[in-house]
Amino acid sequence: MIYLDSGATSFRKPPQVYHAVLDAMQTCANPGRGGYDAAKRAEEVLYGCREAAGELFGCLPEQVVLTTCCTHGLNLAIHSRIRPGSTVVISGFEHNAVTRPLHALGVDLRIAGRKLFDREDTLSSFKKALEGADAAVFTHVSNVFGYILPVEEMAAACREKGIPFILDAAQSAGTLPVSMEKLGADYIAMPGHKGLLGPQGTGLLLCRDGGEPLLYGGTGSFSRQQTMPPELPDRLEAGTLNVPGFAGLREGLRYLQKMKVEAIFRREHRMLRMCADGLKKLGMHVFSGENQAATVSFLPGMDCQEAADLLAQQGIAVRAGLHCAPTAHETAGTQETGTVRVSIGYDTAPVQIAAFLRAASKMPRFVR
């Protein structure tokens, strides 16, 4: 299979990730629940994961809350910082993991920036929308179009006005530099299973300070009191954590430290340009521009899902539809058709892009 759906999940992990998961299943018990070797080993695994994340993302290990996924982290962050009736600014490229929790709270939502690949429009619209706002939540990279938002400038605008903000780093963590210290974010949420190359069922929430729990229960600490512990990370981590998963994520983070995020981005971007340019030569409607990460969407001249199915029959994995991001499709004008999305991973090779383009060239193009 030629796998071009890394925006959904990284599929082939570094070998050490698989080995770490199996080793943890065979040697680790429940962390924080005993003084015996297997429990201590589990504690070491989790701390090692927090430590690696802290080094990579500019924060302290105790500021790293271990979650089940990026959506879990975003819900924790939104629940902690935003109240019903608040005025919240988002970009025009958000995922349902941001918009649905905000809608559930009944906030006054301001959508800022409706021009794809136009950083100036995004930033100017965002700054205007911040007037009188209570909070902001925005993505680093569009999961549909790969558009890299001007998050450094957006973060600076929030800091200048004293407005708390939450960053969705689902498509940037492991591909672009992300620093809690430099951005000054209140929370940064990210999945473990995408660019960080860990297993599914893992995620990270970087927290500037404490937050409000979504889940209450045992933490192995402060067991006499009936409120959640006051300190991070225990405050937001009730129940038994996915130790094998975080053992794998620790190795994914270490791999990124060794290979360097910037080098991975450069390699992925070369594949992106090869893919986008090739699709344009085939006459496809391609969404590409400056400030684009390793994701490109296109309209194949036929039903998008049928196009993806035809590619799948040739052993090529892409994704079609709205990609859980109707706001982004409204911005691009593709809410009725969706798109076919190609998302490139750390191990995508030129020969794979070439094979994809050959398959795309054979696609029967008709408009429904």
Side-chain angles (χ1 to χ4, degrees):
M1 176 177 63
I2 294 173
Y3 186 76
L4 297 173
D5 196 21
S6 293
T9 190
S10 55
F11 185 63
R12 295 178 182 87
K13 319 290 184 179
Q16 55 266 44
V17 172
Y18 302 116
H19 298 157
V21 172
L22 181 59
D23 182 66
M25 292 182 71
Q26 294 174 329
T27 62
C28 292
N30 206 333
R33 271 69 168 183
Y36 49 89
D37 288 345
K40 289 181 178 179
R41 184 173 175 83
E43 292 175 18
E44 291 169 0
V45 164
L46 297 186
Y47 186 78
C49 186
R50 298 185 209 276
E51 191 172 45
E55 291 174 3
L56 199 58
F57 301 119
C59 64
L60 299 172
E62 54 267 29
Q63 292 177 300
V64 179
V65 170
L66 306 179
T67 63
T68 60
C69 57
C70 188
T71 298
H72 179 196
L74 286 167
N75 274 264
L76 275 169
I78 289 168
H79 179 72
S80 296
R81 277 292 177 271
I82 298 171
R83 297 291 173 262
S86 297
T87 298
V88 181
V89 181
I90 65 171
S91 82
F93 304 93
E94 299 305 320
H95 190 279
N96 280 340
V98 167
T99 57
R100 282 179 172 174
L102 292 174
H103 279 292
L105 281 175
V107 303
D108 174 18
L109 207 58
R110 295 179 184 174
I111 302 177
R114 288 292 203 176
K115 293 182 179 179
L116 189 56
F117 303 117
D118 190 334
R119 289 165 66 94
E120 290 185 8
D121 174 73
T122 300
L123 186 57
S124 62
S125 299
F126 183 77
K127 286 181 176 179
K128 290 177 184 176
L130 284 179
E131 295 297 331
D134 300 303
V137 188
F138 48 91
T139 189
H140 194 166
V141 174
S142 166
N143 74 304
V144 181
F145 302 106
Y147 170 37
I148 305 171
L149 278 68
V151 295
E152 292 83 3
E153 294 89 344
M154 294 165 77
C158 289
R159 294 196 306 268
E160 183 180 339
K161 294 183 178 296
I163 294 174
F165 72 95
I166 299 163
L167 180 66
D168 175 3
Q171 300 293 326
S172 61
T175 300
L176 291 169
V178 177
S179 173
M180 184 87 172
E181 181 180 13
K182 292 179 180 178
L183 289 173
D186 286 69
Y187 297 95
I188 300 177
M190 59 189 70
H193 66 99
K194 296 186 182 184
L196 302 186
L197 308 178
Q200 293 170 337
T202 63
L204 303 173
L205 179 65
L206 315 182
C207 307
R208 180 150 301 281
D209 50 32
E212 295 302 319
L214 283 176
L215 187 66
Y216 294 78
T219 60
S221 61
F222 294 89
S223 294
R224 292 183 181 276
Q225 66 187 40
Q226 290 304 294
T227 55
M228 289 297 288
E231 303 296 331
L232 291 174
D234 287 12
R235 180 166 179 77
L236 303 181
E237 291 183 353
T240 298
L241 293 170
N242 177 7
V243 175
F246 288 111
L249 179 55
R250 178 187 61 180
E251 295 309 312
L253 292 166
R254 288 174 174 174
Y255 178 87
L256 292 172
Q257 288 173 325
K258 179 180 178 181
M259 299 304 294
K260 305 299 181 187
V261 168
E262 295 83 358
I264 290 173
F265 176 80
R266 288 194 297 270
R267 187 178 188 282
E268 290 182 348
H269 198 260
R270 288 195 297 272
M271 299 302 101
L272 169 75
R273 291 265 50 92
M274 179 181 175
C275 181
D277 292 346
L279 287 169
K280 288 177 183 177
K281 289 177 182 177
L282 294 176
M284 306 291 186
H285 182 162
V286 182
F287 296 89
S288 66
E290 297 295 322
N291 309 302
Q292 189 170 12
T295 292
V296 61
S297 273
F298 68 99
L299 298 177
M302 60 183 290
D303 180 81
C304 288
Q305 189 58 61
E306 289 184 13
D309 290 345
L310 287 171
L311 290 168
Q313 290 168 19
Q314 299 177 71
I316 297 170
V318 297
R319 182 175 173 185
L322 295 180
H323 313 94
C324 301
T327 301
H329 282 281
E330 289 168 10
T331 295
T334 53
Q335 64 269 37
E336 297 301 323
T337 62
T339 60
V340 178
R341 183 187 73 178
V342 177
S343 46
I344 290 157
Y346 77 106
D347 60 345
T348 303
V351 66
Q352 294 174 311
I353 299 298
F356 159 71
L357 292 171
R358 284 195 300 273
S361 71
K362 300 172 185 176
M363 210 178 282
R365 301 182 62 199
F366 54 95
V367 179
R368 288 287 176 130

